Amino acid sequence: MSCIELCIPSNVFSPYTPADKVAITGDFDNWEHSEFVLVYDGRAGNYKVTIPGVSAENIAFKVC
């Protein structure tokens, strides 16, 4: 089973802060937007999330 790790620069989420809850949703979770919450990595200055069971080739998603 494959998985992908998304790393999204923090400036993409301006004006949100690391204290805000940011979730990602897509066809991998039936657009439910509740399971995959991005975690802020202060050292790297980005948000990360790992999504199991998907391939990076055919993934559709949005951040909410």
Side-chain angles (χ1 to χ4, degrees):
M1 183 179 292
S2 61
C3 71
I4 61 170
E5 180 179 69
L6 296 176
C7 296
I8 304 171
S10 61
N11 65 337
V12 170
F13 297 109
S14 183
Y16 297 109
T17 69
D20 294 313
K21 178 181 174 182
V22 180
I24 191 165
T25 186
D27 51 4
F28 50 84
D29 73 346
N30 201 29
W31 301 97
E32 296 294 325
H33 58 75
S34 61
E35 186 174 341
F36 299 100
V37 176
L38 293 151
V39 177
Y40 182 70
D41 179 354
R43 240 181 334 167
N46 59 30
Y47 290 84
K48 293 183 178 183
V49 66
T50 301
I51 304 169
V54 296
S55 163
E57 294 173 8
N58 294 316
I59 185 170
F61 65 89
K62 72 177 181 176
V63 175
C64 50

